[in-house]
Amino acid sequence: MKYLSLLFLCGCLGIKLVDHKYEDVFIVIQKTVGEDPTLIQKIKETFTLASKLLFTATNNRVYFGKISIIIPKEWTTVTNTTSIPSIQLKNYIMIDEGKIKNPFVKSTECGKEGIFLYLPPSFLMEKSDTAYGRKEKVIVHEWGQLRWGLFSEYHPSPDKKFYLDEGRWKPTVCTDQIQGQIGKGPVCLSAKVCDPTRSSVTMSEMCSFCPHLQQTANASIMGYQYIPSVNFFCDKDDPSVPAWQRHNKKAPTKQNLLCNGKSAWEVMREHSDFRTGSTLPEQTKTEPIFEVLQETSPIRVFVLDTSGSMSTDDRIGNLHRAGAYIINRVLEENSWLGVVCFTDHARITADMTHIISDSEKKNLVASLPTSADGGTCIGCGIHRAIEMLKTMPRKTAENAEIILMSDGEDQNNQMLTDASREAIESKVVIHTVSISQQADPRMISLARDTGGKHYTYLDKGDISFSAIFSQVITISATDMTSKPETVLFKSVDEQSFNINFNVTLETGMNTTISVLTKLRNSVNLTLEITGQSVMRYQSFYGTSLTYQIPETFKAGQYQVIVTSSRVTSWEYTVSSLQSGSNQIMTTTRLSKTTMDFTNAGRDMPVVYADVTKGFAPVTNVEVVAFVEGTDNVLCNITLRDNGQEPDIAVDDGTYSAFILPSCMASKRLNLRVEVFGREGQAGVQKKLTGAIAIEEPEVEYEVLKESFQRFSIPEPLFVKNLPADLDLPPGRITDLSVVDIKTRKSQNGESRNFTIAWTATGNDMNVGQATSYDIRIAEDIDTIMYNFTMAEKFSLNNDTFVPKPSGTPEAIRISVNADESYTGTAFLGIVAVDKNNNTGQVSNVVSILVAKGFRIEVEEVKNYTIGMFNNTVEDETDIVDEHVSSSAFNTALTNSIVLISACVHACVHFGKM
Ligand SMILES: *[C@@H]1O[C@H](CO)[C@@H](O)[C@H](O)[C@H]1NC(C)=O
Ligand SMILES: *[C@@H]1O[C@H](CO)[C@@H](O)[C@H](O)[C@H]1NC(C)=O
Ligand SMILES: *[C@@H]1O[C@H](CO)[C@@H](O)[C@H](O)[C@H]1NC(C)=O
Ligand SMILES: *[C@@H]1O[C@H](CO)[C@@H](O)[C@H](O)[C@H]1NC(C)=O
Ligand SMILES: *[C@@H]1O[C@H](CO)[C@@H](O)[C@H](O)[C@H]1NC(C)=O
Ligand SMILES: *[C@@H]1O[C@H](CO)[C@@H](O)[C@H](O)[C@H]1NC(C)=O
Ligand SMILES: *[C@@H]1O[C@H](CO)[C@@H](O)[C@H](O)[C@H]1NC(C)=O
């Protein structure tokens, strides 16, 4: 069978580059922002300036062509707008009034598009310069991250503000041309403790680098964009590039860590935006065209398969009950819905209906199918739906959504091909749900090609049909926090069962419980609250019941006890809705939806869960993904927000984990992600790193007083060509750092001990326990980064230094002895190795100081714990030049020492300065 994908242009609404101009750039103003027409003016001013800067910063290559500003339904005073139904955007700019007050981008990977750029209205409303410098610089900085997958080029955390090079501490910046002052605190007061030449101890975290505002450095926008003279991106460190633009791959920036030492331009040149390399004349007019769109209600058509196979396992009954649940509980008031049913031909069972009261809902539910018979012509259904949309309500299908559900193989290939083309041409979005594994594979490409989502419902498993159905109901673009969140769902086969959940003060009465059952049945439902004598009792005869916690109910632990007259299939959902930016939301996604082992290399799929309150990250949450195959739960995976691979940044509210082949024993996998935030432990962080501020504010953290729970489902993962015996290599270590330096005068010269710490990775990516470490050193950073096996190896004794289980802190102590002053630099990297000698990728690189003709010894620091070397020098009087090693340190060491005298030849070039 031929696949449709790539035949046509994708109809999805994401940023595109057309003829050097960015089109389909959407700026969505959230409902949380108070109505303010001047905000629109400010957006226009800012993005007009940003367009010009984008053009010059990219050497006259790209700029903003058309920008669409979407305003909320509720805004009334902005005129000259065009209406647009609620749409699903792919990558966009969001303006939100929430807890976060600084611009940031939700990133994915180096070189890949981010998810969205967040701007608070206060930033745009600022009269001239902001705390982050000129607004257009900040926009171009964030654009680099959103569009090209660049990362920031300042220090990612306080312990990475400086690094050792050429005998001193250097600030973490992209080019060495940036002038500034080093000192204590955020404004760099001069302080002895911050002397960068004091390489005999680690630099205190109190010390900062404050670039001068008046200077001539031109790069990098990804670093200190607030310096007025900085207007360009860094390029490769090569004589062909002017010195002011040369990338500094030694600095411990996020860009270097995640893009493997590449400069901004090296990443950009690989992006399709810059493939042609052609430039425009300097005088090109770069003013973007703006349009203001006002969001209106979503317009949807259910296109439902009623072919014979839908009677198997009561799929048609499931569809009917879940459809009724969606119509009654999930669809918004004021939205539009039509229903088309198809077999080998299609018919409309409900015309486009504007849902304004319960009576429309009732009629729509009555139009859902109850019986199934005949063949399958998916194309017939799609064609009929588009026809209907073209008459009602807007006379166009553009931006309307078709929700297609089918369980069978399509029998009219030509009709489906034609309908796909028609859908793409009319810009309708098709979301597809395959009911069972047998569904036509073209269901997937249909969704991909039209910018829709695809889900699969597996007859077996814990994931309920209504939970899957809810996933394809798009959230309002301007009101993303107002969708009810799923607290709990499950499908069970029982006569009676309990549902346990908490009702919190914040969610209160906006908690509903829906119970659906297969057979018409006599059911008793009892609601109890632990510790309180309140009990509600309800009985019904039928197949579904939805119950809303009444206003008079109290916060507490609830239990619903369901008893019925017979064993049957059930599914239930508990959902809750909080007001606006107080809503705790979970969205889940996969780094890819197909894992084909024939060409995937080492790139295992990653599952991400964003847990936020409004858009502020919620940290210290337990997140577990249960991977369901066709027949059973295959495994569970813990997602972490700790900055270790594959996680991009610590405490940003995005939890992530690899999905490993051991969980892939099925061709289609569904993931059920469960999120649990414990009271007194989970908290909301009110800052996320974006463009750096002239004076970085303190991060505020609010501990949550109530526990919460959320369930979410990402799109399914398709597995192809899974090999029988695949041994994955160990993961990459990403947090190598120098945690301590001790210096002592020796008989002939000096002796320095560097303690280098990291977090252990596993034997299969970051799972398990590696067998050994390959630790190497080189005078040249390129050798360590790109030619690791050519670097000098430390012969650590494997018997005494066994890597610890993944996630455990590890450390080595390197003692360097020399007769001369320490002015050279040596770079160090680590690779984890498994029992089959598979090697992981080279870790991030750290530098230490060495001297000409140094002798070096390496040993494990046993029982290393984080914070063991607390180097925060609180007072200048604490500084003693010759540190004497502490007793705790001495007892922690072993005797596995190897002398590397061979290094002498490698060190001859050291000692400039
Ligand atoms: C209204 O929009 C149209 C087209 O988008 C534009 O040509 C016209 O100038 C706008 N009018 C005002 C008053 O902004
Ligand atoms: C429901 O409760 C009523 C009253 O207690 C009882 O008579 C009936 O048997 C119960 N039905 C089921 C299915 O448990
Ligand atoms: C309940 O939901 C409504 C919107 O449906 C919202 O206005 C209200 O604030 C919510 N109540 C609470 C306690 O969050
Ligand atoms: C996850 O799987 C492990 C076995 O691999 C099991 O011991 C553990 O109980 C599971 N966790 C949950 C929450 O089901
Ligand atoms: C419910 O609340 C209790 C008491 O506050 C807490 O211990 C429990 O973890 C909570 N459970 C959930 C699922 O939120
Ligand atoms: C470095 O460590 C070694 C081995 O524990 C110890 O003998 C030496 O005194 C230490 N040197 C310094 C400068 O602390
Ligand atoms: C790696 O080492 C080889 C042999 O010394 C050399 O030819 C090559 O240029 C090096 N590659 C890089 C990226 O440094």
Side-chain angles (χ1 to χ4, degrees):
M1 184 180 306
K2 275 220 151 195
Y3 284 74
L4 260 182
S5 13
L6 305 176
L7 276 182
F8 313 113
L9 262 183
C10 168
C12 35
L13 291 167
I15 298 156
K16 298 180 187 68
L17 187 73
V18 181
D19 194 18
H20 298 269
K21 297 192 284 273
Y22 289 109
E23 308 279 344
D24 286 352
V25 177
F26 284 91
I27 302 182
V28 188
I29 303 177
Q30 294 296 299
K31 192 181 156 184
T32 47
V33 178
E35 175 157 7
D36 185 359
T38 55
L39 180 62
I40 292 175
Q41 201 43 47
K42 291 285 181 186
I43 292 172
K44 290 181 179 173
E45 284 168 24
T46 305
F47 279 83
T48 301
L49 291 171
S51 188
K52 177 87 196 146
L53 178 62
L54 194 59
F55 186 66
T56 52
T58 58
N59 305 329
N60 307 350
R61 298 233 174 102
V62 295
Y63 61 99
F64 292 128
K66 183 165 166 220
I67 297 180
S68 307
I69 305 167
I70 306 184
I71 61 171
K73 300 183 183 82
E74 291 76 14
W75 286 30
T76 53
T77 57
V78 181
T79 52
N80 207 13
T81 63
T82 312
S83 64
I84 181 170
S86 295
I87 46 169
Q88 180 192 319
L89 296 167
K90 275 197 62 180
N91 36 43
Y92 53 96
I93 299 164
M94 176 200 323
I95 300 176
D96 175 59
E97 186 76 88
K99 293 185 170 64
I100 303 255
K101 302 297 181 199
N102 68 289
F104 71 87
V105 167
K106 175 113 334 214
S107 290
T108 57
E109 291 166 53
C110 180
K112 298 243 173 80
E113 260 168 1
I115 311 248
F116 61 77
L117 155 57
Y118 177 99
L119 296 173
S122 56
F123 167 80
L124 288 158
M125 296 303 285
E126 205 79 60
K127 285 210 171 54
S128 54
D129 282 10
T130 69
Y132 314 91
R134 304 279 312 168
K135 286 182 234 173
E136 62 272 25
K137 294 250 183 95
V138 177
I139 300 292
V140 174
H141 171 105
E142 304 295 353
W143 187 260
Q145 220 172 318
L146 179 72
R147 177 69 187 174
W148 306 312
L150 306 179
F151 286 90
S152 56
E153 290 182 310
Y154 56 84
H155 65 86
S157 57
D159 63 323
K160 302 234 162 30
K161 287 193 253 185
F162 299 91
Y163 65 99
L164 283 168
D165 190 27
E166 295 174 336
R168 56 191 295 145
W169 290 102
K170 290 196 174 169
T172 299
V173 289
C174 184
T175 78
D176 57 9
Q177 312 244 323
I178 295 184
Q179 308 287 311
Q181 186 175 330
I182 290 169
K184 197 168 160 181
V187 293
C188 298
L189 302 171
S190 82
K192 191 181 173 206
V193 58
C194 299
D195 179 357
T197 63
R198 182 186 287 280
S199 63
S200 56
V201 289
T202 50
M203 193 75 147
S204 161
E205 289 188 10
M206 291 185 306
C207 303
S208 309
F209 172 66
C210 304
H212 299 314
L213 286 179
Q214 293 315 316
Q215 62 174 304
T216 54
N218 291 137
S220 163
I221 291 176
M222 296 314 292
Y224 288 89
Q225 81 291 329
Y226 63 68
I227 301 172
S229 60
V230 165
N231 286 307
F232 294 93
F233 296 101
C234 281
D235 204 337
K236 60 180 174 240
D237 181 16
D238 186 283
S240 66
V241 169
W244 61 265
Q245 205 176 7
R246 277 180 215 158
H247 178 70
N248 171 15
K249 66 165 78 100
K250 295 174 190 169
T253 61
K254 268 243 128 85
Q255 169 76 19
N256 278 331
L257 175 68
L258 296 168
C259 299
N260 204 15
K262 276 187 203 158
S263 67
W265 264 113
E266 286 167 276
V267 175
M268 286 156 72
R269 270 192 290 267
E270 286 172 15
H271 194 279
S272 59
D273 287 1
F274 299 103
R275 286 246 169 89
T276 67
S278 69
T279 60
L280 294 173
E282 211 174 300
Q283 64 277 14
T284 302
K285 293 241 181 302
T286 60
E287 288 98 295
I289 296 166
F290 293 92
E291 70 174 349
V292 182
L293 304 173
Q294 183 155 34
E295 190 176 48
T296 58
S297 304
I299 298 165
R300 304 185 176 97
V301 183
F302 289 171
V303 176
L304 310 174
D305 186 348
T306 60
S307 65
S309 56
M310 284 293 288
S311 53
T312 319
D313 290 334
D314 193 37
R315 285 174 190 157
I316 198 79
N318 247 333
L319 182 60
H320 188 275
R321 288 186 294 276
Y325 165 77
I326 298 289
I327 291 169
N328 286 318
R329 305 304 316 175
V330 182
L331 295 189
E332 312 83 341
E333 299 266 295
N334 268 320
S335 63
W336 290 79
L337 180 68
V339 181
V340 170
C341 294
F342 68 88
T343 51
D344 47 14
H345 63 281
R347 67 195 169 93
I348 294 171
T349 60
D351 278 317
M352 293 310 300
T353 306
H354 195 194
I355 304 175
I356 31 189
S357 71
D358 284 349
S359 81
E360 287 88 20
K361 290 184 184 173
K362 221 175 137 209
N363 291 339
L364 285 163
V365 170
S367 76
L368 297 174
T370 49
S371 62
D373 191 19
T376 308
C377 174
I378 296 175
C380 303
I382 294 170
H383 172 70
R384 201 82 184 85
I386 294 174
E387 237 177 31
M388 177 163 69
L389 284 165
K390 283 186 173 159
T391 58
M392 277 279 280
R394 297 170 76 231
K395 299 206 172 358
T396 164
E398 189 170 345
N399 296 325
E401 293 172 290
I402 287 176
I403 293 163
L404 170 67
M405 307 224 170
S406 172
D407 74 335
E409 290 275 333
D410 184 61
Q411 290 151 355
N412 193 333
N413 201 28
Q414 189 54 46
M415 192 64 200
L416 183 50
T417 304
D418 293 347
S420 303
R421 190 188 302 273
E422 188 184 2
I424 290 162
E425 278 162 9
S426 57
K427 297 190 176 159
V428 66
V429 175
I430 305 183
H431 303 292
T432 59
V433 176
S434 297
I435 306 172
S436 96
Q437 298 255 32
Q438 276 73 50
D440 195 299
R442 287 178 61 179
M443 294 282 280
I444 304 155
S445 50
L446 258 177
R448 302 271 179 271
D449 294 344
T450 59
K453 295 190 261 193
H454 170 80
Y455 281 88
T456 300
Y457 170 69
L458 303 173
D459 294 325
K460 301 202 178 78
D462 284 344
I463 300 178
S464 65
F465 191 76
S466 38
I468 296 271
F469 204 151
S470 307
Q471 299 301 317
V472 293
I473 305 299
T474 301
I475 313 167
S476 155
T478 62
D479 193 9
M480 295 195 194
T481 53
S482 74
K483 189 176 174 184
E485 283 286 309
T486 305
V487 174
L488 199 59
F489 62 70
K490 196 161 184 165
S491 87
V492 292
D493 284 307
E494 300 285 354
Q495 180 166 2
S496 61
F497 56 94
N498 299 345
I499 311 171
N500 295 293
F501 58 96
N502 288 356
V503 171
T504 63
L505 284 173
E506 283 198 345
T507 49
M509 55 181 183
N510 285 350
T511 301
T512 58
I513 306 126
S514 295
V515 177
L516 309 179
T517 171
K518 182 172 170 178
L519 300 173
R520 237 163 231 292
N521 205 342
S522 161
V523 182
N524 288 343
L525 191 140
T526 311
L527 184 71
E528 296 180 356
I529 314 180
T530 312
Q532 300 175 42
S533 52
V534 189
M535 187 181 282
R536 292 284 159 124
Y537 168 85
Q538 215 166 24
S539 65
F540 70 100
Y541 182 82
T543 58
S544 71
L545 178 79
T546 293
Y547 189 75
Q548 180 155 10
I549 302 286
E551 210 170 323
T552 51
F553 270 45
K554 306 221 162 53
Q557 282 175 270
Y558 280 65
Q559 182 168 52
V560 173
I561 304 158
V562 178
T563 52
S564 78
S565 43
R566 55 184 136 171
V567 176
T568 178
S569 302
W570 303 80
E571 55 181 67
Y572 59 82
T573 309
V574 179
S575 65
S576 95
L577 176 65
Q578 288 166 248
S579 55
S581 55
N582 277 327
Q583 176 84 313
I584 295 179
M585 307 190 290
T586 299
T587 45
T588 45
R589 55 198 156 88
L590 300 178
S591 61
K592 52 174 143 196
T593 49
T594 302
M595 178 67 205
D596 187 344
F597 282 88
T598 48
N599 51 23
R602 293 176 165 189
D603 287 344
M604 289 298 126
V606 179
V607 52
Y608 298 98
D610 299 308
V611 186
T612 58
K613 183 164 187 171
F615 293 98
V618 182
T619 58
N620 296 317
V621 173
E622 295 155 31
V623 183
V624 179
F626 293 84
V627 181
E628 298 193 357
T630 325
D631 295 321
N632 55 341
V633 173
L634 298 168
C635 70
N636 62 56
I637 311 171
T638 302
L639 283 70
R640 297 182 208 280
D641 185 12
N642 59 2
Q644 309 288 330
E645 195 194 38
D647 194 46
I648 294 274
V650 64
D651 288 347
D652 65 349
T654 299
Y655 297 74
S656 43
F658 288 114
I659 305 170
L660 297 186
S662 53
C663 291
M664 293 183 185
S666 185
K667 288 201 163 75
R668 243 181 241 222
L669 305 174
N670 266 342
L671 278 76
R672 163 170 52 99
V673 178
E674 299 191 4
V675 174
F676 182 62
R678 201 177 291 282
E679 57 185 308
Q681 186 178 321
V684 181
Q685 189 164 297
K686 300 183 182 168
K687 186 177 182 303
L688 268 173
T689 50
I692 193 168
I694 297 172
E695 209 176 306
E696 279 294 284
E698 289 286 311
V699 176
E700 281 180 70
Y701 186 74
E702 173 203 329
V703 175
L704 293 179
K705 295 189 187 69
E706 295 183 307
S707 299
F708 69 90
Q709 182 179 324
R710 294 284 181 271
F711 276 38
S712 180
I713 318 170
E715 290 186 56
L717 176 68
F718 295 89
V719 180
K720 290 183 179 159
N721 305 310
L722 176 69
D725 51 345
L726 179 69
D727 183 19
L728 290 175
R732 179 187 183 211
I733 293 159
T734 54
D735 63 346
L736 211 57
S737 71
V738 179
V739 292
D740 187 56
I741 302 174
K742 295 261 190 307
T743 303
R744 192 158 50 198
K745 290 231 161 36
S746 62
Q747 261 179 331
N748 304 316
E750 246 181 27
S751 148
R752 289 190 186 201
N753 286 354
F754 296 88
T755 307
I756 295 183
W758 67 93
T759 308
T761 181
N763 59 325
D764 288 332
M765 311 299 285
N766 59 359
V767 174
Q769 192 168 357
T771 305
S772 63
Y773 287 122
D774 187 354
I775 306 175
R776 291 180 190 250
I777 192 166
E779 90 213 71
D780 157 34
I781 190 166
D782 284 356
T783 305
I784 283 288
M785 291 185 84
Y786 314 119
N787 243 343
F788 190 71
T789 52
M790 306 290 287
E792 209 75 55
K793 180 172 178 152
F794 290 140
S795 306
L796 265 164
N797 187 337
N798 293 343
D799 293 339
T800 58
F801 192 7
V802 177
K804 296 190 185 60
S806 174
T808 317
E810 304 259 35
I812 49 170
R813 196 204 42 143
I814 299 181
S815 73
V816 183
N817 289 285
D819 307 335
E820 294 179 40
S821 58
Y822 284 63
T823 51
T825 313
F827 300 93
L828 189 130
I830 303 186
V831 157
V833 183
D834 72 9
K835 64 176 189 306
N836 294 334
N837 272 325
N838 289 314
T839 53
Q841 282 172 282
V842 181
S843 67
N844 66 308
V845 176
V846 289
S847 49
I848 60 170
L849 284 190
V850 291
K852 216 181 222 179
F854 65 93
R855 296 170 300 282
I856 201 161
E857 296 170 356
V858 187
E859 59 196 358
E860 179 185 4
V861 178
K862 295 253 165 153
N863 307 319
Y864 170 74
T865 54
I866 291 163
M868 183 166 160
F869 302 99
N870 201 341
N871 279 298
T872 323
V873 186
E874 296 299 339
D875 194 307
E876 319 228 332
T877 56
D878 284 359
I879 299 190
V880 186
D881 263 82
E882 275 69 54
H883 270 234
V884 180
S885 49
S886 71
S887 57
F889 189 65
N890 276 335
T891 53
L893 300 170
T894 68
N895 296 324
S896 61
I897 296 177
V898 171
L899 199 70
I900 301 228
S901 46
C903 188
V904 174
H905 84 272
C907 310
V908 208
H909 314 295
F910 289 166
K912 324 177 217 170
M913 275 193 67

